[in-house]
């Protein structure tokens, strides 16, 4: 069997596998939406029965089974409320009296938690009694969503894409293979688009149906409290909102907002309680699992196309038979570093951008998409530019520390004793927190860290000492790489110490100096520990301000927006440093 034949078989398997994963992600999104709908509806129904029957109120009279049965029958008969629901009083079903009773083991499982549980294809929510840990009954809801309009198109495109992919795999490196690959790519794009549409439509349909049906429950329960203030009703009915939340509606036209509810992702539903009272039922934010399934459903089909292109490139390797194996080996060696870079740099940066574009509170979690609103809010705040100005002044210690470190490295190289080198290399081993506390205790008597006009410069001086300790070993290593013959040749030509430094040492150290300056500025902008330990009167720089936004104020979205602004400024400063200082720098230098 030739390598080309192996690539054709593997290409067919990859095509089928990618399409199967895309289809599984799409149907999984549908099942996820149905489960979330059932869990939220069960929680809302249980909270409604608890509220209107006062089953959990301490000191309430014993529950009347006949009255509870009438309330359950009234619940299932409410207009525009049509979930597949069953309510159990103890173990006995009330909606369909001929159904089997609920096992005691299931009731025990439901009683162990306050949230709905998914058991045997249905969501079960507890209806608590006046005694903690004991239930009056259980509300069970099975998934009940409209028919998916994308289902016929999805199945048809799945078959067409699979056929095109298998044929393209079979015709790999044959005549007109490009036409088969193009047909497969077009079909994969269409299939991916329909898959994403099906996944999003299912989740949106589930959320909208839950919103409207829960609004019916809240309107029915609210009609029993005609004189209650709206804010009190919002607090009383908060359990009916499941994992969403109820607020007083303040929109200018709630009737129009109610008509538009569901047409926009995350739009709340206004609920009328009579007498000019309106509540707003805000749906819960999208979950990361939904976005992950959408991404897999939309992009997995295209992975087969890319795989066929890669196989075609490997199959045509006839002039150098080992080139493919060498390339694969190289990518295998690079894979761990690529995974490390993706996991620790690319993925956190993508998450930072996502948080900056959404409303994200430390206690409430993620919210709706707000676009550039957080960035605008950050750039219009006075403390932002005050902190950035202080940080810019603070970073002026970097070139001073670099020049001092270079001078010390040159002096240590001339007096190259072991003691001198050890003393110059030792500072990096000291803890930043320990150094900051030592300087704070030493400068307390003069009060230089307590006065705003001197605190910033004292902080810059301490940071310069730390920077020198880190930079001297780097310059010593750079000087050791310069051949002695270059200095000796310059000395024979009559060059003095300054000329030898300017003509030999500085040009050969320029790449290292550029790296030290760029990294020094980045470290100076990100400094957090030093001002944190030097006392409460330390100036607020960029990193402490970012910490205050995120953990002091609880606004992770503002902290993310400020971090993005800081990143852009650092990139600009880095590019300017390379342009100005990096002239003439070459790899050979």
């Amino acid at each position: 069997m030739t390598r080309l034949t192996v690539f054709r078989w593997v290409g067919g398997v990859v095509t089928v596998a990618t399409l199967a994963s895309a289809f599984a992600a799409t149907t999984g999104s549908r099942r996820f939406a149905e489960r979330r709908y059932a869990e939220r509806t069960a929680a809302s129904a249980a909270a409604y029965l608890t509220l209107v029957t006062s089953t959990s109120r301490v000191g309430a009279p014993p529950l009347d089974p006949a009255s509870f049965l009438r309330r359950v029958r009234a619940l299932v008969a409410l207009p525009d409320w049509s979930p597949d629901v069953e309510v159990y009083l103890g173990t006995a079903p009330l909606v369909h009296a001929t159904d089997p009773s609920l096992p005691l083991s299931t009731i025990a499982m439901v009683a162990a938690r306050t949230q709905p549980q998914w058991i045997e294809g249905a969501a079960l929510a507890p209806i608590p009694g006046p005694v903690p840990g004991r239930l009056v009954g259980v509300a069970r809801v099975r998934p009940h969503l409209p028919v998916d309009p994308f289902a016929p198109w999805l199945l048809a495109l799945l078959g067409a894409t699979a056929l095109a992919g298998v044929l393209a795999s079979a015709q790999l490196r044959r005549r007109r293979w490009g036409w088969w690959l193009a047909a497969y790519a077009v079909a994969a794009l269409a299939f991916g688009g329909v898959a994403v549409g099906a996944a999003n439509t299912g989740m949106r349909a589930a959320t909208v149906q839950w919103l409207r049906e829960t609004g019916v429950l809240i309107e029915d329960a609210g009609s029993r409290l005609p004189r209650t203030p709206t804010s009190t009703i919002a607090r009383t009915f908060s359990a009916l909102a499941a994992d969403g939340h109820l607020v007083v509606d303040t929109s200018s036209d709630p009737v129009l907002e109610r008509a538009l509810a569901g047409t926009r992702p995350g739009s709340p539903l206004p609920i009328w309680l009579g007498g000019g009272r309106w509540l707003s039922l805000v749906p819960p934010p999208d979950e990361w699992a939904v976005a992950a399934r959408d991404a897999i459903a939309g992009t997995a089909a295209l992975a087969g196309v890319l795989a066929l292109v890669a196989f075609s490139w490997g199959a045509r390797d006839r002039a150098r038979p080992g080139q493919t194996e060498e390339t694969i080996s190289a990518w295998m060696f690079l894979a761990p570093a690529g995974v490390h870079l993706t996991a620790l740099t690319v993925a956190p940066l993508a998450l930072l951008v996502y948080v900056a574009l959404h409303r994200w509170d430390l206690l409430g979690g993620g919210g709706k998409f707000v676009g550039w609103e957080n960035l605008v809010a950050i750039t219009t705040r006075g403390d932002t530019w005050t902190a950035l100005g202080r940080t810019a002044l603070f970073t002026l210690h970097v070139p001073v520390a670099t020049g001092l470190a270079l001078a010390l490295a040159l002096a240590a190289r001339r007096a190259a004793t072991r003691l001198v080198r050890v003393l110059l290399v030792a500072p990096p081993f000291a803890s930043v927190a320990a150094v900051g506390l030592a300087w704070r205790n030493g400068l307390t008597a003069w009060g230089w860290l307590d006065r705003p006009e001197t605190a910033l410069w004292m902080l810059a001086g301490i940071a310069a000492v730390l920077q020198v300790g880190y930079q001297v070993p780097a310059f010593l290593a750079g000087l050791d790489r310069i051949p002695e013959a270059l200095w000796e040749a310059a000395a024979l030509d009559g060059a003095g110490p300054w000329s030898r430094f300017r003509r030999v040492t500085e040009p050969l150290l320029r790449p290292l100096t550029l790296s030290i300056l760029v990294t020094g500025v980045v470290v100076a902008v990100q400094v957090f520990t030093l001002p944190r330990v030097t006392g409460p009167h330390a100036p607020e720089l960029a990193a402490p301000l970012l910490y205050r936004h995120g953990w002091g104020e609880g606004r992770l979205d503002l902290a993310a927006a400020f971090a993005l602004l800081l990143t852009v400024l650092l990139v600009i400063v880095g590019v300017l440093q390379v342009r100005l200082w990096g002239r003439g720098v070459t790899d050979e230098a």
Side-chain angles (χ1 to χ4, degrees):
M1 181 180 291
T2 63
R3 183 171 60 181
L4 181 58
T5 304
V6 172
F7 281 165
R8 287 170 180 168
W9 280 99
V10 174
V13 172
V14 170
T15 297
V16 174
T18 53
L19 291 176
S21 63
F23 184 75
T26 306
T27 54
S29 296
R30 176 75 178 185
R31 290 192 298 270
F32 182 83
E34 291 176 344
R35 176 171 175 172
R36 280 291 180 265
Y37 162 76
E39 290 174 344
R40 291 165 180 165
T41 304
S44 300
Y48 169 82
L49 291 174
T50 302
L51 184 66
V52 298
T53 58
S54 302
T55 57
S56 62
R57 189 180 58 180
V58 178
L63 180 66
D64 181 13
S67 175
F68 189 80
L69 174 61
R70 289 193 297 270
R71 180 52 53 197
V72 171
R73 293 298 176 86
L75 167 66
V76 297
L78 285 174
D80 299 325
W81 198 82
S82 57
D84 183 3
V85 65
E86 178 62 83
V87 179
Y88 295 90
L89 179 58
T91 61
L94 301 182
V95 179
H96 305 94
T98 59
D99 285 355
S101 60
L102 196 65
L104 291 175
S105 59
T106 303
I107 294 180
M109 293 174 59
V110 176
R113 296 179 59 185
T114 58
Q115 299 298 323
Q117 297 191 51
W118 187 258
I119 302 175
E120 297 181 356
L124 281 75
I127 303 175
V131 179
R134 299 188 62 180
L135 304 183
V136 170
V138 174
R140 186 197 68 190
V141 175
R142 296 190 183 277
H144 177 68
L145 289 179
V147 178
D148 185 6
F150 289 93
W153 294 98
L154 190 66
L155 290 174
L157 285 172
L158 175 63
T161 308
L163 179 60
V166 171
L167 290 175
S169 301
Q171 298 297 323
L172 184 65
R173 299 303 302 164
R174 288 177 177 169
R175 188 178 180 183
R176 298 185 182 277
W177 175 73
W179 293 98
W180 289 109
L181 182 65
Y184 176 36
V186 171
L189 283 172
F191 176 74
V194 173
V196 172
N200 286 327
T201 300
M203 198 66 203
R204 183 179 298 183
T207 303
V208 171
Q209 184 165 340
W210 170 76
L211 281 173
R212 296 191 181 279
E213 291 177 349
T214 305
V216 172
L217 298 182
I218 295 175
E219 287 180 352
D220 181 75
S223 63
R224 307 171 189 276
L225 304 171
R227 293 188 177 89
T228 305
T230 311
S231 58
T232 303
I233 296 177
R235 291 191 299 269
T236 305
F237 291 175
S238 60
L240 275 74
D243 53 351
H245 59 278
L246 275 175
V247 296
V248 178
D249 191 275
T250 57
S251 59
S252 58
D253 191 353
V255 177
L256 178 61
E257 290 292 327
R258 181 165 185 165
L260 295 176
T263 60
R264 303 183 303 271
S267 58
L269 174 70
I271 301 172
W272 183 58
L273 301 177
R277 299 173 303 170
W278 288 86
L279 291 177
S280 185
L281 178 57
V282 182
D286 292 337
E287 303 179 54
W288 68 268
V290 180
R293 286 189 173 93
D294 291 354
I296 294 174
T299 60
L302 296 176
V305 180
L306 299 179
L308 287 185
V309 173
F311 292 157
S312 172
W313 169 76
R316 69 181 179 184
D317 182 17
R318 296 179 180 176
R320 293 185 57 191
Q323 184 177 4
T324 302
E325 288 76 5
E326 293 174 1
T327 304
I328 293 175
S329 300
W331 280 108
M332 290 179 64
F333 281 111
L334 290 174
V339 172
H340 180 274
L341 181 65
T342 302
L344 299 183
T345 302
V346 178
L349 183 60
L351 180 61
L352 181 72
V353 175
Y354 179 83
V355 174
L357 298 179
H358 290 74
R359 171 75 182 185
W360 203 286
D361 188 81
L362 184 61
L363 298 178
K368 64 178 182 178
F369 176 79
V370 296
W372 301 106
E373 181 179 321
N374 291 324
L375 190 59
V376 172
I378 278 294
T379 55
T380 54
R381 292 180 57 155
D383 55 355
T384 297
W385 300 108
T386 301
L388 290 177
R390 291 198 193 102
T391 305
L393 293 175
F394 176 77
T395 55
L396 294 178
H397 77 272
V398 175
V400 176
T402 302
L404 182 59
L406 179 57
L408 289 175
L410 290 171
R413 196 174 183 279
R414 288 184 177 180
T417 62
R418 294 181 181 273
L419 179 61
V420 172
R421 290 213 171 197
V422 168
L423 291 177
L424 291 175
V425 175
F429 296 97
S431 169
V432 176
V435 172
L437 289 174
W439 278 94
R440 174 186 174 183
N441 294 332
L443 297 176
T444 300
W446 290 277
W448 289 344
L449 289 175
D450 297 331
R451 293 195 294 269
E453 61 272 12
T454 58
L456 179 62
W457 302 112
M458 290 297 101
L459 202 64
I462 300 172
V465 173
L466 290 173
Q467 288 269 14
V468 167
Y470 285 101
Q471 294 173 5
V472 167
F475 278 121
L476 285 174
L479 289 172
D480 289 341
R481 292 182 58 186
I482 300 177
E484 290 283 348
L486 297 179
W487 284 310
E488 293 174 357
L492 290 176
D493 290 340
W498 173 248
S499 296
R500 290 197 298 272
F501 172 79
R502 189 166 60 90
R503 299 294 184 181
V504 178
T505 307
E506 191 274 332
L508 294 178
L509 284 181
R510 183 168 293 185
L512 176 62
T513 307
L514 175 62
S515 175
I516 288 176
L517 284 173
V518 173
T519 56
V521 170
V522 173
V523 171
V525 171
Q526 296 178 346
V527 66
F528 175 79
T529 304
L530 192 59
R532 190 75 175 177
V533 301
T534 50
H537 302 287
E540 188 175 51
L541 303 178
L545 179 61
L546 191 150
Y547 177 85
R548 177 163 65 86
H549 285 323
W551 301 103
E553 302 172 2
R555 293 294 303 277
L556 296 182
D557 49 357
L558 293 182
F562 183 69
L564 283 180
L565 176 63
L566 205 59
T567 302
V568 172
L569 295 177
L570 277 175
V571 169
I572 294 174
V573 171
V575 171
L576 291 177
Q577 284 181 290
V578 173
R579 286 289 185 89
L580 296 176
W581 186 257
R583 295 174 181 174
V585 173
T586 61
D587 294 336
E588 290 77 9

